[in-house]
């Protein structure tokens, strides 16, 4: 992981926007991860939050949602010179998409010690075998990002102990349980 070489507050500002996206996921009962993509002038290009449950899509991670929106907005599958801010260290799936999109820099908040692919468990983005290198900066607003995730899982575990269904209470039907 590269050290963040700036005294600018822009990274905190962009991560705060990603946290707002994460809160949208939280309110829907999704794992609260949010993402924003900016251009080289720090102008907002796209946003996204986890939508795997509400979209019935295992690939609808915050990063993928934001990458799709950025591609549509820019009318290009190559997202060259863009920055991606995400509240949780990207997984291997998202890291692969980031590489293929040609994102320039990834800034993340909380480290993911179970599935993180930016150095915590895997180092997908900096693997020398890729033809595109991504700059990585971790730990931006780490406490805020980590707190939202731990609060979410704590509340979910509490509901489960009480026999409450967090999916149903967030407005989603557990349709996959009704299949023959």
């Amino acid at each position: 992981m590269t050290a963040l070489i700036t005294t600018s507050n822009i990274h905190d500002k962009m991560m705060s926007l990603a946290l707002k996206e994460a809160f949208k996921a939280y309110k829907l009962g999704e794992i609260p991860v949010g993402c924003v993509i900016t251009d080289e002038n720090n102008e907002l290009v796209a946003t996204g939050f986890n939508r795997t449950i509400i979209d019935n899509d295992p690939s609808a991670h915050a990063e993928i949602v934001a990458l799709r929106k950025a591609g549509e907005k820019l009318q290009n599958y190559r997202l060259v010179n863009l920055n991606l801010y995400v509240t949780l260290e990207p997984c291997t799936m998202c890291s692969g998409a980031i590489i293929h999109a040609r994102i320039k820099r990834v800034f993340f908040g909380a480290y993911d010690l179970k599935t993180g692919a930016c150095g915590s468990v895997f180092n997908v983005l900096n693997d020398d075998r890729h033809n595109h290198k991504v700059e990585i900066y971790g730990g931006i607003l780490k406490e805020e990002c980590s707190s939202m995730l731990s609060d979410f899982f704590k509340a979910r575990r509490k509901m489960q102990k009480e026999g409450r269904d967090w999916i149903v209470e967030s407005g989603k039907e557990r349709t996959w349980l009704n299949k023959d």
Side-chain angles (χ1 to χ4, degrees):
M1 226 138 332
T2 311
L4 187 60
I5 309 170
T6 183
T7 56
S8 171
N9 203 16
I10 192 69
H11 304 299
D12 288 353
K13 179 181 176 188
M14 292 303 149
M15 192 60 71
S16 291
L17 291 175
L19 277 163
K20 287 181 182 178
E21 290 297 307
F23 189 66
K24 292 176 185 177
Y26 191 109
K27 290 189 303 186
L28 294 170
E30 294 276 0
I31 295 172
V33 178
C35 180
V36 299
I37 297 176
T38 66
D39 66 16
E40 60 272 11
N41 298 316
N42 299 311
E43 296 295 323
L44 193 62
V45 174
T47 64
F49 58 87
N50 272 5
R51 303 180 52 88
T52 57
I53 297 166
I54 61 175
D55 289 353
N56 296 309
D57 180 355
S59 71
H61 288 196
E63 301 95 321
I64 302 296
V65 171
L67 288 168
R68 287 176 181 155
K69 287 180 181 179
E72 288 173 13
K73 181 176 182 176
L74 300 175
Q75 291 295 290
N76 198 334
Y77 72 107
R78 295 287 193 218
L79 305 175
V80 179
N81 294 324
L82 299 186
N83 300 310
L84 185 144
Y85 292 83
V86 63
T87 57
L88 180 64
E89 180 179 0
C91 68
T92 55
M93 175 185 69
C94 293
S95 294
I98 287 165
I99 291 166
H100 288 291
R102 303 298 193 261
I103 292 290
K104 185 172 186 173
R105 291 180 202 91
V106 168
F107 300 89
F108 68 87
Y111 290 85
D112 185 344
L113 302 178
K114 292 184 180 178
T115 63
C118 297
S120 288
V121 179
F122 307 102
N123 201 355
V124 174
L125 293 182
N126 280 337
D127 191 308
D128 289 335
R129 293 169 286 191
H130 295 298
N131 62 341
H132 176 69
K133 302 295 181 250
V134 180
E135 296 174 36
I136 306 167
Y137 305 95
I140 299 169
L141 299 184
K142 178 173 81 172
E143 288 76 26
E144 293 90 332
C145 296
S146 295
S147 289
M148 186 177 292
L149 286 159
S150 60
D151 290 350
F152 172 81
F153 286 111
K154 194 179 301 178
R156 195 164 93 172
R157 283 189 299 275
K158 181 179 184 279
M159 288 178 77
Q160 288 171 335
K161 282 183 181 177
E162 294 169 354
R164 296 166 52 204
D165 189 323
W166 63 276
I167 297 270
V168 172
E169 287 190 29
S170 67
K172 182 73 175 169
E173 184 181 341
R174 286 189 179 270
T175 54
W176 60 90
L177 295 178
N178 300 331
K179 303 288 181 196
D180 290 331

